[in-house]
Amino acid sequence: MEIAVIWIPATIEPSEAAVARCLSHLRRRSYRFAGIMRAPWETVEQTMIDGEVDVVVIADFAHLPPDRSPRIELASPTGIDAYEDPAVPDTQLG
Protein backbone atom coordinates (compact mmCIF):
# COMPACT_ATOMS: atom_id res chain seq x y z
CA MET A 1 0.00 0.00 0.00
CA GLU A 2 1.41 3.36 -1.03
CA ILE A 3 1.99 6.05 1.57
CA ALA A 4 0.35 9.37 0.75
CA VAL A 5 0.26 12.85 2.20
CA ILE A 6 -2.06 15.69 1.41
CA TRP A 7 -0.30 18.92 0.56
CA ILE A 8 -2.22 22.14 1.01
CA PRO A 9 -0.19 25.32 0.45
CA ALA A 10 -0.18 27.60 3.49
CA THR A 11 -1.79 30.33 1.36
CA ILE A 12 -4.98 28.28 0.88
CA GLU A 13 -7.51 29.36 3.50
CA PRO A 14 -9.94 28.10 4.41
CA SER A 15 -8.52 24.67 3.67
CA GLU A 16 -11.44 22.42 4.62
CA ALA A 17 -12.80 21.98 1.08
CA ALA A 18 -9.35 21.12 -0.29
CA VAL A 19 -8.72 18.63 2.51
CA ALA A 20 -12.11 16.97 1.97
CA ARG A 21 -11.46 16.61 -1.76
CA CYS A 22 -8.05 15.06 -1.11
CA LEU A 23 -9.33 12.68 1.58
CA SER A 24 -11.98 11.44 -0.82
CA HIS A 25 -9.28 10.75 -3.40
CA LEU A 26 -7.17 8.89 -0.82
CA ARG A 27 -10.10 6.62 0.02
CA ARG A 28 -10.82 5.87 -3.64
CA ARG A 29 -7.17 4.95 -4.25
CA SER A 30 -6.75 3.05 -0.96
CA TYR A 31 -3.59 4.94 -0.05
CA ARG A 32 -2.20 4.78 3.48
CA PHE A 33 -2.72 8.30 4.82
CA ALA A 34 0.35 9.79 6.50
CA GLY A 35 -0.95 13.29 7.20
CA ILE A 36 -1.50 16.80 5.91
CA MET A 37 1.48 18.98 5.03
CA ARG A 38 1.24 22.77 5.02
CA ALA A 39 4.98 23.21 4.57
CA PRO A 40 6.76 24.83 1.61
CA TRP A 41 6.91 22.70 -1.55
CA GLU A 42 10.64 22.06 -1.02
CA THR A 43 9.85 20.25 2.23
CA VAL A 44 7.26 18.07 0.49
CA GLU A 45 9.75 17.39 -2.29
CA GLN A 46 12.36 16.26 0.23
CA THR A 47 9.97 13.73 1.78
CA MET A 48 9.57 12.18 -1.66
CA ILE A 49 13.30 12.19 -2.33
CA ASP A 50 13.93 10.58 1.07
CA GLY A 51 11.42 7.84 0.27
CA GLU A 52 9.13 8.75 3.19
CA VAL A 53 6.18 9.41 0.88
CA ASP A 54 5.09 7.65 -2.30
CA VAL A 55 2.25 9.96 -3.32
CA VAL A 56 1.43 13.63 -2.75
CA VAL A 57 -2.24 14.46 -3.23
CA ILE A 58 -3.33 18.02 -4.03
CA ALA A 59 -6.79 19.50 -4.38
CA ASP A 60 -6.07 21.72 -7.38
CA PHE A 61 -3.44 21.64 -10.10
CA ALA A 62 -3.00 25.40 -9.58
CA HIS A 63 -1.62 24.75 -6.08
CA LEU A 64 1.61 23.32 -7.50
CA PRO A 65 4.44 25.78 -7.99
CA PRO A 66 5.26 26.03 -11.72
CA ASP A 67 9.01 25.70 -11.08
CA ARG A 68 8.72 22.60 -8.88
CA SER A 69 11.11 19.71 -9.08
CA PRO A 70 11.01 16.79 -9.65
CA ARG A 71 8.73 17.56 -12.53
CA ILE A 72 6.70 15.27 -14.75
CA GLU A 73 4.91 16.66 -17.77
CA LEU A 74 2.40 15.02 -20.08
CA ALA A 75 2.98 15.70 -23.78
CA SER A 76 -0.45 16.49 -25.14
CA PRO A 77 -1.17 14.87 -28.51
CA THR A 78 -3.09 17.99 -29.56
CA GLY A 79 -0.29 20.39 -28.70
CA ILE A 80 -2.48 22.15 -26.11
CA ASP A 81 -0.65 22.91 -22.90
CA ALA A 82 -2.42 21.17 -20.00
CA TYR A 83 -1.62 24.18 -17.81
CA GLU A 84 -3.71 26.39 -20.09
CA ASP A 85 -6.59 24.02 -20.83
CA PRO A 86 -9.08 23.86 -17.95
CA ALA A 87 -10.87 20.97 -19.70
CA VAL A 88 -7.91 18.66 -19.03
CA PRO A 89 -8.66 16.61 -15.90
CA ASP A 90 -6.06 16.56 -13.15
CA THR A 91 -6.10 12.76 -12.94
CA GLN A 92 -2.46 12.57 -14.03
CA LEU A 93 -1.51 13.88 -10.60
CA GLY A 94 -2.41 10.67 -8.86
Side-chain angles (χ1 to χ4, degrees):
M1 183 179 290
E2 293 176 299
I3 299 170
V5 295
I6 293 172
W7 181 61
I8 309 289
T11 57
I12 304 303
E13 287 295 340
S15 63
E16 289 81 8
V19 170
R21 182 174 179 187
C22 292
L23 286 171
S24 178
H25 180 81
L26 289 170
R27 282 190 295 275
R28 285 192 309 272
R29 303 290 291 195
S30 298
Y31 291 142
R32 188 170 60 181
F33 179 49
I36 297 171
M37 296 185 75
R38 301 279 300 200
W41 174 253
E42 294 77 17
T43 303
V44 177
E45 177 184 42
Q46 191 62 49
T47 65
M48 290 185 287
I49 292 168
D50 293 343
E52 299 170 19
V53 172
D54 300 309
V55 179
V56 175
V57 177
I58 60 171
D60 191 306
F61 190 69
H63 293 174
L64 288 174
D67 59 346
R68 71 193 176 278
S69 181
R71 187 169 181 156
I72 299 170
E73 296 185 4
L74 173 64
S76 170
T78 61
I80 297 172
D81 189 343
Y83 292 105
E84 298 172 8
D85 184 3
V88 175
D90 63 341
T91 56
Q92 71 272 15
L93 298 175

